[in-house]
Amino acid sequence: MKTLVIGANGQIGRQFCELASRGGVSLRAMIRHSDQQPWFHERGIDTVIGDLEGDFHQAFNGCDQVVFSAGSGPHTGPDKTLLIDLYGAIRAVDLAVERGLERFLMVSALRASDPMAAPVKLRPYMAAKFAADAYLRSSRIPHVILKPGKLTDAPASRLVSAAAHADGIEVSRGNVAYALLHLSQARMLKNREFDLLDGDSSIAMALL
Ligand SMILES: NC(=O)c1ccc[n+]([C@@H]2O[C@H](COP(=O)([O-])OP(=O)(O)OC[C@H]3O[C@@H](n4cnc5c(N)ncnc54)[C@H](OP(=O)(O)O)[C@@H]3O)[C@@H](O)[C@H]2O)c1
């Protein structure tokens, strides 16, 4: 089982790749630039150069599932939100379906189901996540949608909650990486959606 990681060079992507490669998971990291390769090659991780705004179909060769953790980030405008977070995700789903991959694991966002409830500045991003999730749900590929809260760089506690609660809306990127590791190995989980916050349950118990 080979996992294509889209957004592998991101903060979650790298943490997931590191954990997964240490756990013996076979990976292909999709990255945008050749100067990003050494970090992956030092860890024995296969890489492929691909850009969600270009042609990236070759990245899928020989892969069985996708982890999509790419994002345009907070320093670009709504044009990139549309092209990367929405249309890039849609094109990745289409390629996964076309190639007959087994599963698609999407990193979405907490409350993406209600974009108008987000602060005004975040609404285009939430609308992109909402539409990408809807597209994935209606596609033919078995999937898991993970909806993390506001990301932090706190150390991974490996204790989470999969129910949005009043106490907080944060989750560490490390906990998201551990959650992705669990989901990438829990092959029986299909067509499921989980919120993800820091909490007090083990990842295996929270993401059943
Ligand atoms: N920020 C939050 O509070 C929050 C909350 C919930 C969910 N999320 C989601 O969490 C995910 C990742 O978070 P993060 O902190 O790891 O973000 P990050 O560090 O900004 O990583 C994003 C990754 O996406 C890649 N990327 C950007 N444009 C691309 C393109 N055109 N083609 C291919 N790859 C591209 C970036 O590549 P480079 O490394 O080359 O730049 C980077 O590796 C995103 O899906 C985000 O929407 C964020």
Short mmCIF file of all heavy atoms in Angstrom, two decimals, residues 6-13 30 32-33 36 50-53 68-73 84-85 107-110 125 129 148-151 173, ligand 1:
data_model
loop_
_atom_site.label_atom_id
_atom_site.label_comp_id
_atom_site.label_asym_id
_atom_site.label_seq_id
_atom_site.Cartn_x
_atom_site.Cartn_y
_atom_site.Cartn_z
N ILE A 6 0.04 14.66 -0.75
CA ILE A 6 -0.01 15.95 -1.47
C ILE A 6 0.04 17.05 -0.42
O ILE A 6 -0.79 17.08 0.49
CB ILE A 6 -1.29 16.03 -2.34
CG1 ILE A 6 -1.30 14.90 -3.38
CG2 ILE A 6 -1.39 17.40 -3.01
CD1 ILE A 6 -2.50 14.89 -4.31
N GLY A 7 1.05 17.92 -0.54
CA GLY A 7 1.30 18.90 0.52
C GLY A 7 2.33 18.35 1.50
O GLY A 7 2.40 18.76 2.66
N ALA A 8 3.17 17.42 1.00
CA ALA A 8 4.12 16.71 1.87
C ALA A 8 5.13 17.64 2.54
O ALA A 8 5.60 17.36 3.64
CB ALA A 8 4.85 15.64 1.06
N ASN A 9 5.47 18.74 1.87
CA ASN A 9 6.48 19.63 2.44
C ASN A 9 5.89 20.62 3.45
O ASN A 9 6.61 21.43 4.03
CB ASN A 9 7.20 20.40 1.32
CG ASN A 9 8.42 21.12 1.81
OD1 ASN A 9 9.32 20.50 2.38
ND2 ASN A 9 8.47 22.43 1.62
N GLY A 10 4.59 20.55 3.67
CA GLY A 10 3.96 21.46 4.63
C GLY A 10 4.27 21.04 6.06
O GLY A 10 4.90 20.00 6.31
N GLN A 11 3.80 21.85 6.99
CA GLN A 11 4.12 21.57 8.41
C GLN A 11 3.47 20.26 8.88
O GLN A 11 4.12 19.46 9.55
CB GLN A 11 3.66 22.74 9.27
CG GLN A 11 4.37 24.04 8.89
CD GLN A 11 3.67 25.25 9.47
OE1 GLN A 11 3.95 25.63 10.60
NE2 GLN A 11 2.74 25.83 8.73
N ILE A 12 2.22 20.04 8.50
CA ILE A 12 1.59 18.75 8.82
C ILE A 12 2.20 17.67 7.94
O ILE A 12 2.52 16.57 8.41
CB ILE A 12 0.07 18.80 8.60
CG1 ILE A 12 -0.59 19.70 9.64
CG2 ILE A 12 -0.54 17.40 8.63
CD1 ILE A 12 -2.08 19.93 9.41
N GLY A 13 2.37 17.99 6.67
CA GLY A 13 2.88 17.00 5.71
C GLY A 13 4.19 16.40 6.15
O GLY A 13 4.36 15.18 6.16
N MET A 30 4.61 14.30 -2.64
CA MET A 30 4.52 15.25 -3.76
C MET A 30 4.95 16.63 -3.26
O MET A 30 4.35 17.17 -2.33
CB MET A 30 3.10 15.31 -4.34
CG MET A 30 3.04 16.18 -5.58
SD MET A 30 1.42 16.11 -6.39
CE MET A 30 0.91 17.82 -6.26
N ARG A 32 6.87 20.61 -4.48
CA ARG A 32 6.84 21.53 -5.63
C ARG A 32 8.21 21.80 -6.23
O ARG A 32 8.32 22.17 -7.38
CB ARG A 32 6.21 22.85 -5.21
CG ARG A 32 4.74 22.72 -4.98
CD ARG A 32 4.07 24.05 -5.05
NE ARG A 32 4.21 24.82 -3.82
CZ ARG A 32 3.66 26.01 -3.67
NH1 ARG A 32 2.99 26.57 -4.63
NH2 ARG A 32 3.82 26.66 -2.51
N HIS A 33 9.27 21.67 -5.43
CA HIS A 33 10.59 22.11 -5.90
C HIS A 33 11.65 21.06 -5.57
O HIS A 33 11.61 20.43 -4.51
CB HIS A 33 10.98 23.43 -5.23
CG HIS A 33 9.92 24.48 -5.36
ND1 HIS A 33 9.61 25.07 -6.57
CD2 HIS A 33 9.08 25.02 -4.45
CE1 HIS A 33 8.63 25.94 -6.39
NE2 HIS A 33 8.28 25.93 -5.11
N GLN A 36 13.49 20.85 -2.27
CA GLN A 36 12.80 20.29 -1.10
C GLN A 36 13.08 18.79 -0.96
O GLN A 36 12.72 18.17 0.06
CB GLN A 36 11.28 20.52 -1.24
CG GLN A 36 10.90 22.01 -1.23
CD GLN A 36 9.45 22.26 -1.66
OE1 GLN A 36 8.82 21.42 -2.32
NE2 GLN A 36 8.92 23.42 -1.31
N GLY A 50 5.46 17.95 -8.23
CA GLY A 50 4.13 18.19 -8.80
C GLY A 50 3.53 19.44 -8.20
O GLY A 50 3.81 19.78 -7.05
N ASP A 51 2.75 20.13 -9.01
CA ASP A 51 2.11 21.37 -8.57
C ASP A 51 0.62 21.27 -8.85
O ASP A 51 0.23 20.93 -9.98
CB ASP A 51 2.73 22.56 -9.33
CG ASP A 51 2.34 23.89 -8.73
OD1 ASP A 51 1.15 24.09 -8.42
OD2 ASP A 51 3.23 24.74 -8.56
N LEU A 52 -0.18 21.57 -7.86
CA LEU A 52 -1.64 21.47 -8.03
C LEU A 52 -2.16 22.46 -9.07
O LEU A 52 -3.28 22.32 -9.54
CB LEU A 52 -2.34 21.73 -6.69
CG LEU A 52 -2.18 20.62 -5.64
CD1 LEU A 52 -2.65 21.11 -4.27
CD2 LEU A 52 -2.94 19.37 -6.04
N GLU A 53 -1.35 23.43 -9.42
CA GLU A 53 -1.76 24.36 -10.48
C GLU A 53 -1.25 23.91 -11.84
O GLU A 53 -1.45 24.61 -12.84
CB GLU A 53 -1.26 25.77 -10.16
CG GLU A 53 -1.96 26.40 -8.97
CD GLU A 53 -1.65 27.87 -8.86
OE1 GLU A 53 -2.13 28.65 -9.68
OE2 GLU A 53 -0.86 28.24 -7.94
N PHE A 68 -4.28 14.24 1.41
CA PHE A 68 -4.26 15.59 0.84
C PHE A 68 -4.16 16.59 1.99
O PHE A 68 -5.12 16.81 2.73
CB PHE A 68 -5.53 15.85 0.02
CG PHE A 68 -5.51 17.18 -0.71
CD1 PHE A 68 -5.17 17.25 -2.06
CD2 PHE A 68 -5.82 18.37 -0.06
CE1 PHE A 68 -5.15 18.46 -2.74
CE2 PHE A 68 -5.78 19.59 -0.73
CZ PHE A 68 -5.46 19.63 -2.07
N SER A 69 -2.96 17.19 2.13
CA SER A 69 -2.76 18.15 3.22
C SER A 69 -2.18 19.45 2.67
O SER A 69 -1.52 20.20 3.38
CB SER A 69 -1.82 17.54 4.27
OG SER A 69 -1.69 18.43 5.36
N ALA A 70 -2.44 19.70 1.38
CA ALA A 70 -1.94 20.94 0.77
C ALA A 70 -2.88 22.09 1.13
O ALA A 70 -4.03 21.87 1.49
CB ALA A 70 -1.85 20.78 -0.74
N GLY A 71 -2.37 23.27 1.02
CA GLY A 71 -3.19 24.45 1.24
C GLY A 71 -2.45 25.69 0.77
O GLY A 71 -1.22 25.72 0.78
N SER A 72 -3.21 26.69 0.34
CA SER A 72 -2.57 27.90 -0.19
C SER A 72 -2.01 28.77 0.94
O SER A 72 -1.16 29.62 0.69
CB SER A 72 -3.57 28.69 -1.03
OG SER A 72 -4.70 29.00 -0.24
N GLY A 73 -2.49 28.56 2.16
CA GLY A 73 -1.93 29.29 3.30
C GLY A 73 -2.50 30.69 3.43
O GLY A 73 -3.17 31.20 2.53
N ILE A 84 -6.05 26.29 -5.47
CA ILE A 84 -5.33 25.22 -4.75
C ILE A 84 -6.28 24.48 -3.80
O ILE A 84 -6.47 23.28 -3.93
CB ILE A 84 -4.12 25.82 -4.01
CG1 ILE A 84 -3.13 26.40 -5.04
CG2 ILE A 84 -3.44 24.77 -3.13
CD1 ILE A 84 -2.11 27.33 -4.49
N ASP A 85 -6.85 25.21 -2.85
CA ASP A 85 -7.68 24.54 -1.83
C ASP A 85 -8.94 23.93 -2.45
O ASP A 85 -9.42 22.90 -1.99
CB ASP A 85 -8.07 25.54 -0.72
CG ASP A 85 -6.85 26.16 -0.06
OD1 ASP A 85 -6.29 27.12 -0.64
OD2 ASP A 85 -6.43 25.69 0.99
N VAL A 107 -7.51 16.44 4.38
CA VAL A 107 -7.43 17.35 5.53
C VAL A 107 -8.31 18.55 5.20
O VAL A 107 -7.98 19.36 4.34
CB VAL A 107 -5.98 17.80 5.82
CG1 VAL A 107 -5.97 18.77 7.00
CG2 VAL A 107 -5.10 16.59 6.13
N SER A 108 -9.45 18.61 5.86
CA SER A 108 -10.39 19.72 5.67
C SER A 108 -10.23 20.68 6.85
O SER A 108 -9.10 20.88 7.32
CB SER A 108 -11.81 19.16 5.56
OG SER A 108 -12.73 20.21 5.41
N ALA A 109 -11.29 21.26 7.31
CA ALA A 109 -11.20 22.18 8.44
C ALA A 109 -12.47 22.10 9.28
O ALA A 109 -13.57 21.91 8.74
CB ALA A 109 -11.00 23.61 7.94
N LEU A 110 -12.29 22.27 10.58
CA LEU A 110 -13.42 22.29 11.51
C LEU A 110 -14.44 23.32 11.03
O LEU A 110 -14.06 24.44 10.66
CB LEU A 110 -12.91 22.67 12.91
CG LEU A 110 -13.90 22.60 14.06
CD1 LEU A 110 -14.23 21.14 14.39
CD2 LEU A 110 -13.35 23.30 15.29
N TYR A 125 -12.01 30.73 2.23
CA TYR A 125 -11.28 29.50 2.52
C TYR A 125 -12.24 28.39 2.97
O TYR A 125 -12.19 27.26 2.48
CB TYR A 125 -10.22 29.79 3.60
CG TYR A 125 -9.63 28.57 4.25
CD1 TYR A 125 -8.73 27.77 3.56
CD2 TYR A 125 -9.97 28.22 5.56
CE1 TYR A 125 -8.19 26.63 4.16
CE2 TYR A 125 -9.43 27.10 6.16
CZ TYR A 125 -8.55 26.30 5.46
OH TYR A 125 -8.02 25.18 6.04
N LYS A 129 -13.11 24.77 1.23
CA LYS A 129 -13.06 23.48 1.93
C LYS A 129 -14.42 22.79 1.86
O LYS A 129 -14.50 21.58 1.63
CB LYS A 129 -12.66 23.69 3.41
CG LYS A 129 -11.19 24.08 3.59
CD LYS A 129 -10.28 22.97 3.11
CE LYS A 129 -8.93 22.93 3.74
NZ LYS A 129 -8.02 21.97 3.08
N PRO A 148 -9.62 19.30 11.21
CA PRO A 148 -8.93 19.85 12.39
C PRO A 148 -9.42 21.25 12.72
O PRO A 148 -9.82 22.02 11.84
CB PRO A 148 -7.46 19.92 11.95
CG PRO A 148 -7.37 19.27 10.62
CD PRO A 148 -8.74 19.26 10.04
N GLY A 149 -9.32 21.57 14.01
CA GLY A 149 -9.57 22.95 14.45
C GLY A 149 -8.38 23.83 14.11
O GLY A 149 -7.54 23.49 13.28
N LYS A 150 -8.30 24.97 14.80
CA LYS A 150 -7.19 25.91 14.55
C LYS A 150 -5.87 25.23 14.90
O LYS A 150 -5.71 24.72 16.01
CB LYS A 150 -7.42 27.14 15.44
CG LYS A 150 -6.47 28.28 15.19
CD LYS A 150 -6.94 29.49 16.02
CE LYS A 150 -5.93 30.60 16.15
NZ LYS A 150 -4.92 30.73 15.15
N LEU A 151 -4.95 25.26 13.95
CA LEU A 151 -3.70 24.52 14.12
C LEU A 151 -2.71 25.27 15.01
O LEU A 151 -2.57 26.49 14.90
CB LEU A 151 -3.06 24.26 12.76
CG LEU A 151 -3.90 23.45 11.77
CD1 LEU A 151 -3.22 23.40 10.41
CD2 LEU A 151 -4.12 22.04 12.30
N ARG A 173 -0.51 20.56 15.18
CA ARG A 173 -0.20 19.91 13.89
C ARG A 173 0.33 18.49 14.13
O ARG A 173 0.10 17.60 13.34
CB ARG A 173 0.82 20.75 13.12
CG ARG A 173 0.23 22.05 12.59
CD ARG A 173 1.25 22.85 11.79
NE ARG A 173 0.64 23.96 11.10
CZ ARG A 173 0.41 25.17 11.62
NH1 ARG A 173 0.78 25.44 12.86
NH2 ARG A 173 -0.16 26.12 10.90
N1 LIG B 1 -4.25 26.86 9.60
C1 LIG B 1 -5.23 26.27 10.24
O1 LIG B 1 -5.58 26.65 11.38
C2 LIG B 1 -5.94 25.10 9.59
C3 LIG B 1 -7.04 24.57 10.23
C4 LIG B 1 -7.65 23.43 9.69
C5 LIG B 1 -7.13 22.85 8.54
N2 LIG B 1 -6.06 23.41 7.91
C6 LIG B 1 -5.53 22.72 6.71
O2 LIG B 1 -4.37 22.00 7.09
C7 LIG B 1 -3.60 21.71 5.91
C8 LIG B 1 -2.11 21.92 6.08
O3 LIG B 1 -1.75 22.78 7.10
P1 LIG B 1 -0.18 23.13 7.29
O4 LIG B 1 -0.07 23.91 8.52
O5 LIG B 1 0.64 21.91 7.09
O6 LIG B 1 0.03 24.10 6.03
P2 LIG B 1 1.39 24.49 5.28
O7 LIG B 1 2.55 24.31 6.16
O8 LIG B 1 1.13 25.84 4.69
O9 LIG B 1 1.49 23.41 4.11
C9 LIG B 1 0.76 23.52 2.93
C10 LIG B 1 1.46 22.72 1.88
O10 LIG B 1 0.72 22.87 0.65
C11 LIG B 1 1.67 22.98 -0.39
N3 LIG B 1 1.13 23.68 -1.56
C12 LIG B 1 0.74 24.98 -1.66
N4 LIG B 1 0.41 25.25 -2.92
C13 LIG B 1 0.59 24.11 -3.64
C14 LIG B 1 0.44 23.77 -4.99
N5 LIG B 1 0.05 24.67 -5.92
N6 LIG B 1 0.74 22.51 -5.38
C15 LIG B 1 1.18 21.59 -4.48
N7 LIG B 1 1.34 21.86 -3.17
C16 LIG B 1 1.05 23.11 -2.76
C17 LIG B 1 2.81 23.80 0.21
O11 LIG B 1 3.96 23.62 -0.61
P3 LIG B 1 5.37 24.37 -0.31
O12 LIG B 1 5.95 23.67 0.88
O13 LIG B 1 6.12 24.18 -1.56
O14 LIG B 1 5.01 25.79 -0.03
C18 LIG B 1 2.92 23.18 1.58
O15 LIG B 1 3.78 22.09 1.56
C19 LIG B 1 -4.20 22.54 4.80
O16 LIG B 1 -5.04 21.70 4.01
C20 LIG B 1 -5.03 23.55 5.56
O17 LIG B 1 -6.10 24.04 4.77
C21 LIG B 1 -5.46 24.51 8.41
#
